[in-house]
Amino acid sequence: MSVAWNPQGNTIASGRADNTVKLWTLKDGEWKFIPTQIKHDGAVSSVSFSPDGKTIASASKDNTIKLWTKEGKQLKTLSGHEEPVTSVAWSPDGNTIASGGGDNTIKLWNKDGKELRTFSHKAKVWSVAWSPDGNTIASGGGDNTIKLWNKNGKQIQTLKGHNASIASVAWSPNGNIIASASNDNTVKLWSIEGKELKTLYGHNNDVLSVTFSPDGKKIASGSKDNTVKLWNLKGEELQTLYGHNQRVTSVSFNADGKTLISASDDKALILWNLEDLKLDKLMKAACQQVKDYLEYNATESEKNLCNKNS
C-alpha cells in the first residue's frame, strides 16, 4: 500500500494490507529481507523515514501512527485520529510528524509522540506532504482539493481543478511546484500561489501516487491502470513502465534519482533502473532511424538486436 526509501538509499520500507511493515536492506549489492515484528492492528496505508533514517513512522487503518527504530523496535504509538490514518510524513528537520486521516483532519505531532495541533480539511484526507523548507503542509482531500497550511494550522491556499478525490500530493525539491494525483485519472502541477500550471493526461484509471525525482526534472505516477508513468515538467509523457498486474499504489525515487520503486496490490515491489530505461529508449530511437537499412542490408544479428528493442 505504501513504499519509502531511507535517505541513504539502502533501505526500503513497505506498508502492507496484512497489517505489517516489511524492510529490506542493500548488502553486498543484493537486497536482503530484514525480519522484524513491525505490526499494526489494521492495514498499513503509509510509511515514512525520518530525515536521519533512524526512525520509521507507519500509519494504519487501526487509527494510529507508530514509530519504530530501523531495526523494528516499537518506540511510540500516536493515538488521536478517530478514523483510519491514511498518510504520514516527517518534516524536513525531523522534529515534527504530519498525519492525515479519514476523520477529515491533519494532525501534527512532535517526535516524542505528543500531539501538537489539529486542523480540518473538511473532507477525508488522503495525503499529506511537507514543503522542502518545512514551513508548509499540503493536504489532498476527498473534496477534490489540495489545501496548503502553515505549521500553526492557518490555511494559506486551496487548489481547485480536479474532478475527483486527491490520492497523493508531492512537492518539487525547490518547493516551487506541487503535484497532485487524482481519481480523475490525471496529475496536475500547481504553483504555490495556487495557479494550475499543467495537467498530465495519459493514465486511463485513478492515479494513486505521485512523486518528484530528486533533481526536480521528472515526475513519476502510479495508477489503478497497473502502470507507472514518467513525465517531464512540461507535462509530456516520457515513458510508461509495465510490470505490475494490479493497481500501482505507491512510487518513490531513490535519493540519487537513478532508481524508482513501485508498490502494487499484486504484492510485488519493482525496482526500476532508470539508467537502463534511458538506454532502452535510445536503442529504440536508433533502430527507428536505421529502419530501411535493417530491412534490406542488415545481418541477422543486427536485426535481432533491434527486434529486442522494437
Side-chain angles (χ1 to χ4, degrees):
M1 296 183 70
S2 178
V3 66
W5 298 89
N6 71 336
Q8 294 75 27
N10 57 14
T11 304
I12 295 165
S14 69
R16 296 166 48 89
D18 66 1
N19 307 354
T20 66
V21 177
K22 303 294 187 189
L23 300 178
W24 288 264
T25 190
L26 187 62
K27 189 173 182 180
D28 300 325
E30 292 187 14
W31 286 98
K32 305 288 186 182
F33 177 68
I34 307 171
T36 71
Q37 299 297 317
I38 302 181
K39 192 168 185 178
H40 279 269
D41 293 325
V44 180
S45 50
S46 182
V47 288
S48 177
F49 277 95
S50 60
D52 63 8
K54 295 180 180 179
T55 309
I56 301 162
S58 56
S60 171
K61 289 186 177 180
D62 66 8
N63 303 1
T64 72
I65 301 107
K66 290 182 183 288
L67 304 183
W68 314 83
T69 67
K70 61 182 181 179
E71 293 78 25
K73 179 184 176 183
Q74 185 173 327
L75 300 171
K76 299 281 182 181
T77 298
L78 284 52
S79 300
H81 281 287
E82 296 176 359
E83 295 287 342
V85 189
T86 53
S87 184
V88 65
W90 288 87
S91 63
D93 64 8
N95 292 326
T96 312
I97 300 157
S99 60
D103 56 6
N104 303 357
T105 69
I106 299 105
K107 289 182 181 289
L108 300 185
W109 317 76
N110 69 18
K111 60 185 178 181
D112 295 320
K114 179 184 177 182
E115 185 177 327
L116 302 175
R117 59 186 54 88
T118 299
F119 33 106
S120 177
H121 190 109
K122 297 182 180 177
K124 286 187 178 181
V125 179
W126 294 109
S127 181
V128 291
W130 290 87
S131 61
D133 63 9
N135 291 326
T136 310
I137 301 133
S139 61
D143 60 355
N144 308 353
T145 72
I146 303 99
K147 294 183 187 294
L148 305 184
W149 315 81
N150 68 19
K151 291 186 290 186
N152 295 320
K154 180 183 177 181
Q155 188 176 316
I156 303 166
Q157 293 283 350
T158 298
L159 314 182
K160 297 180 180 180
H162 281 290
N163 297 316
S165 293
I166 313 302
S168 178
V169 289
W171 292 80
S172 63
N174 64 10
N176 291 335
I177 301 174
I178 299 155
S180 56
S182 172
N183 293 347
D184 65 9
N185 303 2
T186 71
V187 173
K188 288 183 183 288
L189 304 182
W190 312 80
S191 71
I192 55 175
E193 292 78 26
K195 180 183 177 182
E196 185 177 322
L197 303 173
K198 294 284 181 183
T199 299
L200 284 52
Y201 298 100
H203 285 293
N204 56 33
N205 212 323
D206 302 1
V207 189
L208 303 177
S209 182
V210 67
T211 188
F212 281 90
S213 61
D215 64 7
K217 294 180 179 179
K218 294 187 188 70
I219 298 154
S221 57
S223 171
K224 218 171 180 177
D225 65 9
N226 306 353
T227 71
V228 176
K229 289 183 182 289
L230 299 177
W231 317 78
N232 62 24
L233 292 184
K234 296 178 182 178
E236 298 166 336
E237 185 180 320
L238 302 174
Q239 195 130 10
T240 299
L241 311 182
Y242 300 95
H244 290 292
N245 55 39
Q246 293 189 46
R247 66 176 188 164
V248 179
T249 54
S250 184
V251 289
S252 180
F253 282 97
N254 199 338
D256 62 11
K258 295 179 181 179
T259 308
L260 180 76
I261 191 167
S262 56
S264 168
D265 279 355
D266 62 13
K267 303 182 183 180
L269 301 176
I270 295 180
L271 291 171
W272 306 89
N273 185 327
L274 301 184
E275 297 299 305
D276 285 352
L277 291 174
K278 286 180 185 177
L279 178 61
D280 183 56
K281 195 170 183 179
L282 286 171
M283 281 296 298
K284 288 181 181 179
C287 289
Q288 188 63 32
Q289 288 290 325
V290 295
K291 185 177 179 181
D292 289 342
Y293 169 78
L294 291 171
E295 187 172 351
Y296 299 110
N297 300 301
T299 65
E300 285 303 312
S301 62
E302 288 171 332
K303 290 179 180 179
N304 287 337
L305 179 62
C306 276
N307 286 338
K308 293 176 182 178
N309 291 276
S310 60

